[in-house]
Amino acid sequence: MLDIQLLRTDLENVAKRLAARGKAFPVAEFNSLEAERKTIQTRTQELQAQRNITSKQIGNAKSKGKNVSLILAEVTGLGNELKQAETQLEGIQTRLQQLLFGIPNLPHDSVPEGRSEANNQEVRRWGTPHTFDFSVKDHVTIGEDLGLLDFETAAKLSGARFSLLQGGLARLHRALAQFMLDTHTQEHGYTEAYVPYLVNAESLHGTGQLPKFEADLFVVPHGEQGNYYLIPTAEVPLTNTVRDQIVALESLPIKLAAHTPCFRSEAGSYGKDTRGLIRQHQFDKVELVQIVHPQQSYAALEQLVGHAEKILQKLELPYRVMVLCTGDIGFSAAKTYDIEVWLPAQNAYREISSCSNCEAFQARRMQARFRNEKGKPELLHTLNGSGLAVGRTLVAILENCQNADGSVSIPEALRPYMGDLTRLAAQDKK
RNA sequence: GGAGAGAUGGCCGAGUGGUCGAAGGCGCUCCCCUGCUAAGGGAGUAUAGGCUCAAAAGGCUUAUCGAGGGUUCGAAUCCCUCUCUCUCCGCCA
């Protein structure tokens, strides 16, 4: 959510920066709502003040044993008028808020302008893609040939966009998550967290998935209490830990890491990445969240990307880092880096991590604050990044580490998590 | 799932219809006193808004005592609904 003060004082500039992300701000609608709000709010508060004064007079008079019927008669009409004004004000403020909740974050000045993915800029590259002296297979073929990856059975159990891993591949998947989590907690200073996978609407509202993106979520009805939602990312529970809180300055930065499944309905992505593990309704991810002092958030973003990169470096997987352009950053983000891993079978780099600084956008929705140097509450900055998407990392390993005989070499960093196994071969089902 | 108790400021805790944004304490900040330490004295100390102001300061004002609704001229206080926490019983990994 944007700061309404900013909209009141510098609407033109806000509209301009939103235009850079391809979002037209409804200036006229906002201005007329604001004008209306101003009139009605002033009127309401005047009436409230009048009521308060009169009520006090009644109290005073009564305690002195005076007759109050005269003053009482004076306030008779006030109640109705006040109630009407209050209702009207509430209506306007709801409309203003709804408008505001639908407006995305402003891009940071350092974000390159552009309309789409095509305008994202490469920041750096690490590693050299391997050249193969045989024709490479894609991860689906590799996994199925090994007898360890089974989409047909998954489709029977659930439907499209689910997968079943077995044997060494399932173990490799587990090993990856452990390895990532251990690296971040032991080398990068994150606190490991185990979090709820079902969250309430307030939490999703806090991080910005609601109210606009309900269609992307899986909803679980829960009796009369309303709905639970399956988390689309651990960013939601991790970031919302500070919702409605005022944290102490000394406790910053807060760095949290969690390994969770993520659930996305993938509405609107029909026909995209239908083959394989790239785009699933359920996938695992190790998520990094940082909650920091506003002055630190851009330094923290660089760090956060580095933490995610470190995983790929240890796994010796080639990648590049992209800075997303104004037209491609997500709703809550002010700046986003994507990390893209090399996939030989696609002969392309594909997204494996996304790291964003949301500045105060989420914190404002969540009322997540800290006591600043002057002891005053101030909004925090929140950041999140994948470190990394486990399923996609598995894909990258299968494809980058494949051998001519159909086996897959296990990166050295993972071997301690695999009982020192060096390769996955067809007989590894058990 | 059943029965009961509770939710008040950074924390503890008083407050059962009016002068209560809320006693008292703790903590924190500033000042005074004390040769040092310990102790003592005084003052201050919620948040989010609105209007005003070129801005800062200030001024005026509104809302907030778990949340929402109701009764009333007036609600922390009375009534209703919900949420959460605790205790006991049941069930369960």
Side-chain angles (χ1 to χ4, degrees), chain A residues 10 19 26 54 109 115 127 136 144 152 200 207 215 223 270 278 282 310 316 328 340 349 357 395 427:
Chain A
D10 198 13
T54 318
D109 285 340
R115 288 171 164 238
V136 294
E144 286 179 346
E152 243 174 76
N200 56 33
T207 32
Y270 303 106
I278 297 288
Q282 172 188 322
K310 188 73 183 194
E316 301 173 70
D328 200 30
E340 300 180 343
Y349 287 97
N357 183 0
V395 169
Q427 66 272 21

Side-chain angles (χ1 to χ4, degrees), chain A residues 117 120 122 125 129 138-139 161 266 269 271-280 312 317-322 324 337-354 386 388-389 391-397 399-400:
Chain A
E117 208 180 324
N120 295 344
E122 187 174 315
R125 233 172 238 235
D138 80 349
H139 72 277
R161 293 203 193 276
E266 295 298 344
S269 58
K272 254 191 213 172
D273 301 311
T274 46
R275 182 175 161 86
L277 290 168
I278 297 288
R279 194 175 299 274
Q280 300 268 286
L312 290 170
L317 295 169
Y319 67 85
R320 63 178 187 175
V321 178
M322 307 291 287
L324 300 197
Y337 290 109
D338 272 7
I339 302 176
E340 300 180 343
V341 71
W342 176 254
L343 294 186
Q346 296 194 9
N347 199 37
Y349 287 97
R350 289 299 308 265
E351 180 185 342
I352 197 168
S353 169
S354 190
S386 3
L388 309 158
R392 289 189 181 181
T393 311
L394 194 69
V395 169
I397 289 175
E399 295 197 4
N400 282 281

